[in-house]
């Protein structure tokens, strides 16, 4: 039972976040320093970024169910 509680309280590292989001660890490291707004909210532990798993999961859902009709990137050219 104690290990269950500890697992729930465990913060994710850059590697764990990268695995969950299907990014490389180096992409997450770059985004932390250059584009933090494109990542879920984080906490710093001894100067290192960490993420609460539940916050990441909620953030991911909110990103995927965004505004209808909005797109990111270059528009498609239909021929």
């Amino acid at each position: 039972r104690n290990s269950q509680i500890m697992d729930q309280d465990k913060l994710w590292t850059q590697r764990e976040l990268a695995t969950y989001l299907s990014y490389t660890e180096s992409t997450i490291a770059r985004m932390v320093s250059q584009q933090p707004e494109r990542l879920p909210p984080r906490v710093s532990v001894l100067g290192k970024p960490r993420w609460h798993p539940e916050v990441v999961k909620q953030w991911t859902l909110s990103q995927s169910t965004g505004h209808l009709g909005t797109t990111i990137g270059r528009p498609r050219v239909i021929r």
Side-chain angles (χ1 to χ4, degrees):
R1 180 165 167 98
N2 285 341
S3 64
Q4 246 182 352
I5 292 170
M6 301 257 304
D7 286 345
Q8 291 174 356
D9 294 340
K10 184 179 185 293
L11 297 175
W12 282 357
T13 63
Q14 287 185 20
R15 177 175 290 154
E16 292 164 319
L17 181 67
T19 299
Y20 184 78
L21 296 177
S22 299
Y23 288 144
T24 63
E25 193 174 348
S26 61
T27 297
I28 296 296
R30 181 178 44 78
M31 291 173 77
V32 165
S33 65
Q34 296 177 4
Q35 300 170 315
E37 70 280 358
R38 293 188 62 202
L39 292 172
R42 68 178 194 253
V43 296
S44 286
V45 178
L46 298 174
K48 297 185 181 206
R50 297 288 188 262
W51 291 265
H52 288 283
E54 287 305 313
V55 171
V56 172
K57 291 172 186 174
Q58 290 173 1
W59 177 86
T60 305
L61 287 174
S62 73
Q63 298 299 305
S64 63
T65 58
H67 304 288
L68 294 175
T70 60
T71 58
I72 297 174
R74 205 169 78 188
R76 288 185 173 186
V77 176
I78 300 173
R79 297 175 190 204

